[in-house]
Amino acid sequence: MSKKQWPLWEIFIRGQHGLNHRHVGSLHAPDAEMAINNARDVYTRRKEGVSIWVVKSSDITASSPSEKGPLFDPAESKVYRHPTFFDIPDEVGHM
Amino acid sequence: MPSLSDKATPNVAELAENAAPGKVRDEHVENAALKPVFFEWLCRMGDTTLILGHRTSEWCGHAPALEEDIALANTALDLIGHTQLWLGLAGEVEDKGRSADDLAYLRDAIKFRNLLLVELPNGDIGQTLMRQFLFDAFHYELLHKLTGSSSPRVAEIAAKALKEVTYHLGRSSELVIRLGDGSEESHQRMQEVLDKLWPYAGEMFMTDSVDDAIAKAGIAPRPRDLQDAWKTTVTEVLEEATLAPPDTRLDVHTGGKTGRHTEHLGYILAEMQFLQRAYPGATW
């Protein structure tokens, strides 16, 4: 008798005053609707969120740590990419 | 999953405003003639949630999956929360100085008024979930009606509990459907437990003189008036779960509501009450 493991899901929660969903962890569930129920039970016990997104872990493509160099180092010393050379008038406020 | 109709609770904001005990004038609580019957009815509510909460909590640390373990623990906690409210009000109505804790931990089995369905052993996870579903479908209909109770205290307890029970019913229905319409083994197991629990479900709708008196006072509906709505929900879910409702009677086993219990309740109370009875008055 084969034992099939429930697929793994990554869980994203948006808090009451938050603007975006944040990754809070993962859990197992047989399908998407159960994943939302499980996320509600596991990750929102203390009113951490008002909105839940679930994504099958296998649907997520991640950058490989070994490619860190070519992917991210070139941005290291390109100061012209940072918008810090403008004089912001005081009336505009904090940008 | 069959969609539950959107039943907005009436005047919830108003109920919440009057939440603190003593702030709301509830004539039923002070009605001397109604006291014995009201106390009896409140014990039926609180004892059922207490025993079901306790049974469900027995899964803590033993459920087949971590997520299920947490979900069952949450359900148990919700039910114990309801117990505090129902038995708390019962103690107030009885007016003999008994608190919810006194009622829960110091009464003997013969005084308990819970349904037989909830004192049965958990069995496997399928039996636990089927029991939960059959009860949730009833509990949801009952609480919805209670939010319109002539007793403001009862209505406010029901309003709070209804949100939690709406989730309980959604969760247990989804699981019954997935297990019923699952593998050959899960389907067979769910059909077996459905056949096993069906004869206990009828007690939920039994209406006796206590129920009649409470209904006359406008506090609660007669249990038998909830049976049609329950039947509709259960039929829909079982159909989607590819399970066959047994054609045997629903009300074979009764007596819990009047204190005639199975031998199981004795064992539950022995475990649940041991601490309070061995060390009376102990606190953390």
Side-chain angles (χ1 to χ4, degrees):
Chain A
M1 179 173 62
S2 72
K3 288 214 166 155
K4 288 171 82 177
Q5 173 77 287
W6 290 344
L8 187 67
W9 303 78
E10 301 299 329
I11 310 298
F12 303 82
I13 307 271
R14 177 166 58 81
Q16 221 164 1
H17 306 291
L19 294 170
N20 55 294
H21 286 73
R22 290 169 28 206
H23 182 240
V24 294
S26 58
L27 48 78
H28 291 92
D31 55 55
E33 223 180 295
M34 290 306 303
I36 293 203
N37 278 5
N38 286 352
R40 179 266 195 195
D41 280 319
V42 175
Y43 289 112
T44 68
R45 294 189 78 233
R46 303 180 186 98
K47 202 61 198 280
E48 292 97 317
V50 298
S51 175
I52 302 174
W53 285 358
V54 301
V55 181
K56 239 187 193 152
S57 304
S58 55
D59 284 338
I60 293 185
T61 307
S63 58
S64 154
S66 60
E67 288 172 14
K68 244 189 353 181
L71 276 177
F72 304 119
D73 281 351
E76 186 78 50
S77 47
K78 294 190 168 142
V79 72
Y80 50 83
R81 288 191 178 173
H82 297 250
T84 50
F85 298 100
F86 300 97
D87 285 326
I88 311 287
D90 288 327
E91 301 89 70
V92 173
H94 182 69
M95 287 202 78
Chain B
M1 135 104 189
S3 59
L4 300 166
S5 49
D6 181 45
K7 295 171 172 176
T9 51
N11 295 325
V12 172
E14 202 183 288
L15 294 172
E17 242 177 60
N18 298 325
K23 260 191 93 173
V24 184
R25 267 234 62 216
D26 187 334
E27 60 191 28
H28 294 301
V29 174
E30 292 148 31
N31 180 348
L34 197 63
K35 263 184 201 301
V37 156
F38 198 12
F39 174 73
E40 194 73 4
W41 183 85
L42 287 164
C43 283
R44 289 174 177 183
M45 294 298 294
D47 289 345
T48 296
T49 54
L50 174 62
I51 299 303
L52 182 57
H54 183 86
R55 271 293 191 218
T56 308
S57 76
E58 288 174 357
W59 277 104
C60 193
H62 305 281
L66 179 61
E67 295 83 355
E68 192 57 33
D69 205 286
I70 298 178
L72 287 168
N74 283 350
T75 304
L77 286 169
D78 286 347
L79 290 164
I80 302 295
H82 303 166
T83 303
Q84 285 185 307
L85 297 172
W86 292 124
L87 292 187
L89 184 56
E92 258 184 73
V93 165
E94 193 197 27
D95 207 9
K96 289 189 179 147
R98 290 207 280 184
S99 66
D101 282 344
D102 294 333
L103 290 169
Y105 295 112
L106 302 179
R107 279 183 301 155
D108 287 333
I110 200 169
K111 297 288 191 197
F112 270 70
R113 299 289 180 260
N114 56 284
L115 299 166
L116 295 181
L117 177 68
V118 301
E119 71 192 42
L120 300 176
N122 285 330
D124 63 11
I125 191 70
Q127 180 167 327
T128 293
L129 292 169
M130 180 61 79
R131 171 188 69 200
Q132 191 67 43
F133 167 65
L134 293 174
F135 177 72
D136 286 340
F138 157 76
H139 202 197
Y140 173 82
E141 297 298 335
L142 174 59
L143 289 176
H144 173 63
K145 287 284 188 314
L146 290 180
T147 55
S149 172
S150 65
S151 159
R153 297 290 298 280
V154 168
E156 87 200 346
I157 296 175
K160 178 166 190 271
L162 184 59
K163 281 192 174 164
E164 295 171 342
V165 173
T166 303
Y167 179 73
H168 292 178
L169 177 58
R171 204 187 89 85
S172 60
S173 318
E174 292 296 321
L175 284 163
V176 164
I177 289 170
R178 279 160 179 76
L179 288 170
D181 187 17
S183 69
E184 210 179 287
E185 182 184 357
S186 74
H187 175 89
Q188 190 201 331
R189 285 199 189 208
M190 291 305 274
Q191 186 63 61
E192 271 169 26
V193 301
L194 176 60
D195 294 341
K196 192 168 165 183
L197 296 175
W198 194 255
Y200 289 89
E203 192 188 3
M204 298 191 283
F205 309 105
M206 275 187 53
T207 302
D208 62 7
S209 55
V210 170
D211 298 309
D212 274 329
I214 292 297
K216 254 174 96 177
I219 294 176
R222 283 184 178 77
R224 67 164 172 259
D225 293 338
L226 301 170
Q227 189 162 354
D228 283 339
W230 177 86
K231 218 43 190 297
T232 303
T233 302
V234 167
T235 305
E236 262 182 71
V237 169
L238 291 182
E239 200 177 299
E240 210 177 322
T242 70
L243 294 168
D247 50 15
T248 50
R249 283 179 62 155
L250 272 173
D251 59 347
V252 178
H253 303 287
T254 60
K257 282 166 74 165
T258 47
R260 287 183 298 116
H261 291 279
T262 69
E263 71 272 20
H264 300 297
L265 186 61
Y267 290 100
I268 295 173
L269 296 184
E271 215 173 76
M272 192 181 86
Q273 297 183 338
F274 168 78
L275 195 75
Q276 281 298 315
R277 297 187 118 167
Y279 305 96
T283 55
W284 290 105

